[in-house]
Amino acid sequence: MTRKDVESLFKTHYTEMYHLALTLLFDEAESKDVVSDVFSNLLSGRTIVRTDNARAFLLASVRHRCLNVLRHKQVKERFARLLTDDGDALVSKDTVEEQMQMEELMRYLQDCLPPMSIEIFRLRYLQEMTCQEAAEALNVSRQTVHTHLRQTMEKIRKYFATRNTAATNFNSNSKAI
């Protein structure tokens, strides 16, 4: 896709894309950033768009990026509550359980993962860097970042799966007594 094609798409669809992002994010600056990221990917050549469905593709891209921004905000807020030990955040049973899980996750990360994996996890999920940005910050390849994240996520899933299985077995055994 040429620069001229991207400019044409920009002129045609920017306003609609921006309004969609604003509707989902309620933040003008973030909405502009999301739309800019979509066009940046088009200019970089990482994304290819067919002209027959460009509008649908661009709107879907904005929607997905907005959902990612919202998910990252939720994760960031959870970690912020955990790190600041905000007692007021502990309002409901669900929040207390969530807080305990986050504390357990942080202990697990510190105790069981190598420093590089911890740093990559921190950059990716706490500082919301892309894999490429994390790779550049650590002077490693993007593949190294992906590998560490994949292994870290597998370990976290396995840890919590065995923990939940043990808790279920404990609860069912204690009911039998």
Side-chain angles (χ1 to χ4, degrees):
M1 183 165 258
T2 67
R3 184 174 184 85
K4 196 166 217 139
D5 294 334
V6 175
E7 286 176 11
S8 174
L9 289 173
F10 180 86
K11 289 175 184 174
T12 306
H13 301 289
Y14 178 83
T15 304
E16 188 176 13
M17 294 167 66
Y18 171 72
H19 286 297
L20 173 62
L22 189 58
T23 300
L24 295 170
L25 298 175
F26 302 106
D27 185 298
E28 291 179 11
E30 279 185 338
S31 299
K32 289 177 182 177
D33 287 345
V34 163
V35 175
S36 294
D37 285 344
V38 171
F39 284 109
S40 174
N41 280 339
L42 290 176
L43 284 172
S44 71
R46 293 181 292 204
T47 306
I48 299 171
V49 178
R50 293 187 347 226
T51 54
D52 63 330
N53 71 344
R55 179 182 176 274
F57 176 82
L58 293 172
L59 292 175
S61 295
V62 167
R63 182 176 156 271
H64 289 288
R65 285 189 185 273
C66 289
L67 293 175
N68 285 340
V69 166
L70 293 171
R71 272 191 291 260
H72 282 292
K73 278 184 180 180
Q74 288 175 336
V75 169
K76 194 173 182 178
E77 287 170 4
R78 286 183 202 151
F79 277 109
R81 280 195 314 252
L82 174 68
L83 296 175
T84 59
D85 292 326
D86 185 7
D88 295 337
L90 302 176
V91 177
S92 68
K93 179 183 174 191
D94 293 337
T95 309
V96 170
E97 289 175 11
E98 186 177 283
Q99 181 84 9
M100 291 171 57
Q101 287 177 342
M102 294 301 286
E103 289 173 0
E104 187 174 354
L105 172 61
M106 295 303 287
R107 275 193 307 274
Y108 174 76
L109 291 174
Q110 293 296 326
D111 295 344
C112 301
L113 296 178
M116 178 64 84
S117 294
I118 295 169
E119 186 62 16
I120 289 172
F121 185 87
R122 186 183 66 74
L123 291 174
R124 177 70 180 103
Y125 294 107
L126 296 178
Q127 293 190 2
E128 299 180 8
M129 288 186 175
T130 65
C131 290
Q132 185 63 41
E133 291 169 338
E136 290 170 3
L138 297 171
N139 290 324
V140 297
S141 71
R142 188 169 179 236
Q143 184 58 45
T144 299
V145 171
H146 279 286
T147 301
H148 277 274
L149 286 174
R150 181 180 43 78
Q151 291 171 349
T152 299
M153 296 312 287
E154 286 174 6
K155 288 177 182 178
I156 290 170
R157 282 187 198 104
K158 185 176 180 181
Y159 172 75
F160 279 103
T162 57
R163 181 180 122 338
N164 289 339
T165 303
T168 302
N169 289 340
F170 174 78
N171 287 337
S172 62
N173 289 338
S174 62
K175 289 177 185 176
I177 297 174

